Amino acid sequence: MTSHLIATLPGDGIGPEVMDEARKVAAAAAAAFGFELKWRNFPFGAAYFLEHKIVLPPSALDDLAEAEALLLGAVGDPRVEPGPLEQELLLAIRFHFDQYLNLRPALSFPGVPTPTPLPKGRRLNAMVVRENTEDFYMGLGGQGHGRLENEFHTRRNLYNLDGHLTLHLNPKRLAAVSVGLMTHPAVARITYKAGQLARSRGETRLTVATKANAVPQLYGFWNEITRETLAAKFPELRPDYQNVDALCYLLPRQPTDFGVILCPNLFGDIISDLLSALAGGLGLAASGNIGDSLSMFEPVHGSAPALVGTGRANPIAAILSTAMMFHHLGETAAAEAINEAVTTYLTGASRPFELGGNDSTAASGDLIAAHLANL
Ligand code: NAD
Ligand code: IPM
Ligand code: MN
């Protein structure tokens, strides 16, 4: 019997609650399709940080690397200032394993209301392809008074970046700086992935989010490399460059007009939450952080502190993330069955609180798992 070793990192807030349901549904799918799942749980997150005063122990990334895939709940907790957990845990994993391709499908479900009415019989079926290693996420910068002195040491799979930046302010003022960086190989490889995806979906157009008008140093470079890569490798695709502000205007008006949307890291983060709302809810939005070694699957949403313990967290984003994980592991039938079980559940009599129903987090998971058990 095939066996898969899956690392789980439930994390903070509603992370553990949605992770329980994701595991429940994954186990039901594995039983239905005759493969075995072995789980290895990692306790990292706010509680671990508050107890041990470190985000990750030195062996953590090597331990994670032993698994075939990583399923993550969410990180971030009101007891910890914003930044360290997100950067040293979530982003550290994305960067260490060079998970450069962040796939964020935005798919509407029949019968689930959307804020913009969709044309009859049509589903919103967009895909954010987010560059996941560069841009303003590099973690380069800091604060200073009059003098900003920043040491840069960053390791990526594609390169090491070392150096320092010194800035003087006259008169002396308290100031902060954050450096956004993009490199040719990183922009070219994500463009290639977006092009392949658009081609496999039979699309003729590929939307590219940009902001080259205001920040040409960074996003003008992004435009140049994406344009050059698309022209060389995907001559049949028509690139559709949209300033990200205009894209935020156009998406809610005509969401079904969009297919693959290629985004730099920061805009991809923002656009994926917007699209999740347009498709029915953040609690439905799954994602994959994909690289050539360990890939990580997680809901697009965060730890939603206000929902903790209420039973109102929608587990479907986490459940659909396990379907993406099964696709990645080659368990395609199990992945498709999970997607179908979710669709069947959402067209049924009851639904999660987020979508106006009364089903608790666990009840939604139970009902979806039951559809798989009936296969
Ligand atoms: P959030 O995604 O946690 O919540 C945004 C809104 O969506 C809230 O109103 C929340 O109640 C709602 N929501 C989120 N998930 C839901 C679900 N499954 N079901 C129903 N409603 C849901 O974003 P935030 O409030 O900006 O961040 C909270 C914390 O999570 C912060 O610490 C942030 O850094 C972190 N965060 C982590 C991740 C991640 O781990 N990948 C992603 C986003 C935010
Ligand atoms: C996401 C989150 C993260 C991001 C944060 C928590 C660092 O918002 O996964 O969408 O910005 O990528
Ligand atoms: Mn986000």
Side-chain angles (χ1 to χ4, degrees):
M1 192 194 267
T2 314
S3 176
H4 297 291
L5 176 63
I6 310 298
T8 51
L9 204 168
D12 302 321
I14 62 168
E17 300 173 24
V18 298
M19 179 66 81
D20 282 347
E21 305 316 310
R23 282 186 54 159
K24 187 187 285 175
V25 171
F33 288 91
F35 59 90
E36 188 186 27
L37 291 175
K38 291 199 178 119
W39 303 97
R40 183 163 173 197
N41 194 57
F42 290 83
F44 309 129
Y48 186 95
F49 175 64
L50 291 169
E51 186 185 343
H52 300 277
K53 312 286 176 238
I54 49 168
V55 175
L56 288 180
S59 66
L61 295 168
D62 287 343
D63 293 343
L64 285 169
E66 289 173 13
E68 276 176 79
L70 166 61
L71 204 54
L72 182 131
V75 294
D77 185 292
R79 292 170 296 172
V80 181
E81 65 184 292
L85 286 174
E86 290 84 348
Q87 285 196 313
E88 292 168 40
L89 206 171
L90 184 69
L91 298 180
I93 292 171
R94 289 180 186 165
F95 299 160
H96 178 81
F97 295 105
D98 198 29
Q99 296 165 346
Y100 65 92
L101 169 62
N102 190 193
L103 280 182
R104 297 188 150 189
L107 189 64
S108 63
F109 288 88
V112 174
T114 58
T116 303
L118 305 177
K120 219 175 162 42
R122 286 196 57 190
R123 281 178 95 168
L124 195 168
N125 182 9
M127 176 71 87
V128 173
V129 176
R130 174 188 182 194
E131 201 292 319
N132 218 19
T133 65
E134 295 192 325
D135 197 359
F136 285 104
Y137 277 68
M138 296 287 294
L140 305 175
Q143 292 192 8
H145 190 259
R147 181 183 170 88
L148 290 154
E149 188 89 56
N150 291 283
E151 282 293 324
F152 289 7
H153 298 287
T154 299
R155 298 285 169 269
R156 289 291 186 279
N157 200 31
L158 295 173
Y159 51 83
N160 294 337
L161 181 77
D162 297 286
H164 64 265
L165 175 78
T166 310
L167 298 169
H168 301 274
L169 269 122
N170 277 314
K172 285 188 165 38
R173 291 286 183 258
L174 188 60
V177 64
S178 175
V179 172
L181 182 99
M182 286 189 191
T183 62
H184 188 295
V187 178
R189 69 180 176 176
I190 194 68
T191 306
Y192 187 71
K193 289 287 181 187
Q196 277 186 316
L197 189 72
R199 180 178 280 169
S200 73
R201 288 166 52 116
E203 283 164 15
T204 54
R205 185 185 65 153
L206 191 151
T207 301
V208 186
T210 183
K211 192 63 195 171
N213 55 351
V215 192
Q217 295 78 2
L218 200 56
Y219 301 113
F221 178 80
W222 165 263
N223 287 7
E224 262 174 54
I225 312 305
T226 53
R227 200 185 301 281
E228 155 197 309
T229 308
L230 291 171
K233 309 272 189 205
F234 306 94
E236 82 278 16
L237 288 177
R238 181 167 48 85
D240 168 35
Y241 283 87
Q242 295 289 349
N243 287 316
V244 68
D245 48 349
L247 190 56
C248 288
Y249 171 74
L250 295 170
L251 277 171
R253 294 171 69 90
Q254 304 281 3
T256 49
D257 277 4
F258 291 85
V260 176
I261 308 176
L262 171 60
C263 297
N265 207 340
L266 180 59
F267 303 155
D269 175 46
I270 297 164
I271 291 294
S272 48
D273 273 35
L274 174 61
L275 268 167
S276 81
L278 297 170
L282 197 44
L284 299 173
S287 83
N289 301 268
I290 296 165
D292 297 330
S293 57
L294 182 76
S295 294
M296 169 168 71
F297 300 84
E298 52 163 342
V300 168
H301 65 71
S303 55
L307 298 183
V308 174
T310 64
R312 287 174 176 257
N314 183 353
I316 292 179
I319 290 168
L320 292 174
S321 299
T322 63
M324 290 183 80
M325 179 180 78
F326 282 158
H327 258 298
H328 183 75
L329 295 174
E331 297 293 356
T332 314
E336 284 312 315
I338 292 176
N339 291 335
E340 274 169 40
V342 167
T343 306
T344 308
Y345 165 58
L346 288 174
T347 45
S350 71
R351 54 187 54 197
F353 279 103
E354 187 197 25
L355 306 179
N358 287 309
D359 289 348
S360 67
T361 310
S364 300
D366 286 340
L367 289 163
I368 294 165
H371 287 303
L372 288 159
N374 291 336
L375 283 177

